[in-house]
Amino acid sequence: MQKSQNISRSVIVRLPRYHRYLSELISMNIERISSKELASHMALTASQIRQDLNCFGGFGQQGYGYNVKALYEEIGKIIGVDKLKHAVLIGAGNLGRTIASYMNFNDCGFELSAIFDNNPEIFGLTVGGIAVQSIDEFESYCSTNTPDVAVLCIPSSAATEIANTVISCGIKGIWNFSQKDLIFQDDSIYVENLRLSDSLMTVRYHLKD
Amino acid sequence: MQKSQNISRSVIVRLPRYHRYLSELISMNIERISSKELASHMALTASQIRQDLNCFGGFGQQGYGYNVKALYEEIGKIIGVDKLKHAVLIGAGNLGRTIASYMNFNDCGFELSAIFDNNPEIFGLTVGGIAVQSIDEFESYCSTNTPDVAVLCIPSSAATEIANTVISCGIKGIWNFSQKDLIFQDDSIYVENLRLSDSLMTVRYHLKD
DNA sequence: TAGATTGTTAATCGATTAACAATC
DNA sequence: TAGATTGTTAATCGATTAACAATC
């Protein structure tokens, strides 16, 4: 369960997939699974799965495989979904409001607790049970609430400035939906850049002309 | 410009990033750039950039670097953003409506031309200038319009069934927002699985406990 | 015990980085 | 010509795959 010894990004991005697929197996009342079976369902190899899991510990049993429920719990703990961290969302436009209401933050290890915007017309508007407040109140909010993560649903033009603001207020992680990809050298800050249009462009690339 | 000789996914996912960063340089009126400068701005290495670009051709000039405008155009052609393909969106719930109106499909090489849903209450509702129609009309729509790509904004439970439907109707690419990741062995079909919650979980993983 | 499947080491494959001759 | 920077080959690094002894 130690994240210490530099787990590669390739492994990390597979953890949520394992987690999700195991939850499907649980809902199908499947008790045990071998790396071979898991591999065939997830388009991976059995070796890869065993290598991945052994970064964190030996969760299986020779001759048996893995207990689905137990492995699901372990991976949940590795990701950290069992301990909710504190998230805030900035930018309550079209996309921001959808993310706030559509995403199940709790299942991903977060409690979404505040939404900020710079447009006075939507101050007080409730999204997913949370009232939108002015971005001007962000700093004072942070001094009392110390959020861990900021979800940025803002235009590229504002991205760098807002990112610097949230980091100076102690934010340790950014889930960035803006087009501008945010790059920080300080590795105590983790930034996950989504870049929806980049993703769409890869679909375009793969089509024959 | 040949996509034939198996370009690796690592390279492909960087193409939209180059494209976007070059467009920023254009708007800053910067005419030329070296792989070294580009690298430092994008957190890559100069070697990597030259290797990437040389998968498609020699776009630079020794002693000079790359012409920003020309390289931007070339990469645009490689991705295919200059030739709009035909996209349809399925699932006009919260997320689907946001994607339809928020995304600039044209900039990514697509024309979004129809939206389908199974909820009669929203049939006729206009989203981004397009009226939502019944999913029952999908097949007949395809027989006359032959769309290339389907954007799936549907619940996981419906994902596999709808994916099979769209493929049987001749769709060649899927931009999948559902949690269920769609895996097809047929490599004439390209699927880009977004998995927003997986992305959020990687942010959770990187936070200290 | 025999069969199955893990955990783990070694081999392979692929991607990134370094180096440098070519050349603008 | 001298300086800069590419295109490209070779070296390194890391991730995936294969193999197999350990063991349930």
Side-chain angles (χ1 to χ4, degrees):
Chain A
M1 217 171 307
Q2 73 282 32
K3 306 181 180 179
S4 27
Q5 48 164 53
N6 269 48
I7 306 298
S8 78
R9 175 152 181 92
S10 327
V11 175
I12 296 168
V13 298
R14 282 193 291 268
L15 294 175
R17 285 190 69 204
Y18 293 133
H19 192 253
R20 189 157 31 81
Y21 190 63
L22 289 163
S23 82
E24 286 175 27
L25 293 175
I26 290 172
S27 68
M28 291 158 79
N29 288 316
I30 292 170
E31 259 183 34
R32 60 166 286 273
I33 194 156
S34 68
S35 55
K36 195 178 163 193
E37 288 173 275
L38 200 54
S40 78
H41 287 289
M42 296 184 68
L44 299 171
T45 66
S47 276
Q48 198 171 26
I49 290 175
R50 294 204 301 277
Q51 289 275 29
D52 284 358
L53 298 179
N54 281 96
C55 293
F56 304 99
F59 303 128
Q61 203 171 339
Q62 281 99 329
Y64 172 85
Y66 299 87
N67 177 285
V68 172
K69 191 87 186 357
L71 186 57
Y72 172 79
E73 297 293 342
E74 288 291 352
I75 293 178
K77 277 184 211 159
I78 293 163
I79 299 171
V81 290
D82 56 327
K83 288 184 195 164
L84 301 190
K85 289 287 180 176
H86 187 153
V88 299
L89 186 144
I90 301 179
N94 208 334
L95 182 66
R97 291 199 297 270
T98 295
I99 294 302
S101 54
Y102 166 87
M103 284 300 298
N104 192 329
F105 280 89
N106 285 192
D107 285 356
C108 300
F110 289 101
E111 183 78 49
L112 181 64
S113 54
I115 302 178
F116 299 90
D117 201 289
N118 64 357
N119 176 5
E121 289 182 19
I122 60 170
F123 294 167
L125 179 73
T126 296
V127 182
I130 300 166
V132 177
Q133 50 187 311
S134 168
I135 187 69
D136 296 340
E137 295 167 45
F138 180 73
E139 242 181 281
S140 77
Y141 177 89
C142 289
S143 60
T144 47
N145 296 275
T146 60
D148 306 289
V149 162
V151 181
L152 302 188
C153 299
I154 56 183
S156 329
S157 53
T160 309
E161 192 199 331
I162 294 285
N164 287 328
T165 302
V166 301
I167 287 171
S168 71
C169 291
I171 288 282
K172 293 298 175 200
I174 294 179
W175 199 33
N176 176 34
F177 279 88
S178 87
Q179 295 299 41
K180 178 89 186 175
D181 48 358
L182 300 169
I183 300 170
F184 294 98
Q185 60 285 33
D186 178 352
D187 66 354
S188 74
I189 310 293
Y190 179 77
V191 182
E192 172 86 2
N193 293 296
L194 265 120
R195 301 196 302 265
L196 295 179
S197 39
D198 288 16
S199 167
L200 181 53
M201 283 189 201
T202 65
V203 179
R204 178 63 191 87
Y205 174 89
H206 284 91
L207 300 173
K208 307 275 179 303
D209 284 314
Chain B
M1 219 170 312
Q2 72 281 32
K3 306 182 181 180
S4 26
Q5 49 164 53
N6 271 47
I7 306 299
S8 78
R9 174 150 181 92
S10 328
V11 175
I12 296 168
V13 298
R14 281 192 292 267
L15 294 175
R17 284 190 69 204
Y18 292 134
H19 193 253
R20 189 158 30 81
Y21 190 63
L22 288 163
S23 82
E24 284 175 30
L25 292 176
I26 289 173
S27 68
M28 291 158 79
N29 288 315
I30 292 169
E31 260 182 34
R32 62 166 285 274
I33 195 157
S34 67
S35 55
K36 195 179 162 194
E37 288 173 275
L38 199 54
S40 77
H41 287 290
M42 296 183 69
L44 300 171
T45 67
S47 277
Q48 197 171 27
I49 289 175
R50 293 204 300 276
Q51 290 274 28
D52 283 359
L53 298 179
N54 281 96
C55 293
F56 304 99
F59 303 129
Q61 204 172 337
Q62 281 99 328
Y64 173 84
Y66 298 87
N67 177 287
V68 171
K69 191 87 185 356
L71 186 57
Y72 172 78
E73 297 292 343
E74 289 291 351
I75 293 178
K77 278 184 210 160
I78 292 163
I79 299 171
V81 290
D82 56 326
K83 288 183 194 165
L84 301 190
K85 290 285 181 178
H86 188 153
V88 299
L89 187 144
I90 301 179
N94 208 335
L95 183 64
R97 292 200 296 271
T98 294
I99 294 302
S101 54
Y102 167 87
M103 285 298 300
N104 192 330
F105 280 89
N106 286 192
D107 286 355
C108 299
F110 290 101
E111 183 79 48
L112 181 65
S113 54
I115 301 176
F116 299 91
D117 202 288
N118 65 356
N119 176 4
E121 289 182 19
I122 61 170
F123 294 168
L125 180 73
T126 297
V127 182
I130 301 167
V132 177
Q133 50 187 312
S134 169
I135 187 70
D136 296 340
E137 295 168 43
F138 181 72
E139 243 180 280
S140 77
Y141 177 89
C142 289
S143 60
T144 46
N145 295 275
T146 61
D148 306 290
V149 162
V151 181
L152 302 188
C153 300
I154 57 184
S156 328
S157 52
T160 309
E161 191 198 332
I162 294 284
N164 287 328
T165 303
V166 301
I167 286 171
S168 71
C169 291
I171 288 282
K172 293 299 174 199
I174 294 179
W175 199 32
N176 177 32
F177 278 87
S178 87
Q179 295 299 41
K180 179 90 186 172
D181 49 358
L182 299 168
I183 300 170
F184 294 98
Q185 59 284 35
D186 177 353
D187 66 354
S188 72
I189 310 292
Y190 179 77
V191 182
E192 172 85 3
N193 293 296
L194 264 120
R195 302 197 299 266
L196 294 179
S197 39
D198 288 17
S199 167
L200 181 53
M201 283 189 201
T202 65
V203 179
R204 178 62 192 89
Y205 174 88
H206 284 92
L207 299 173
K208 307 276 179 302
D209 283 313

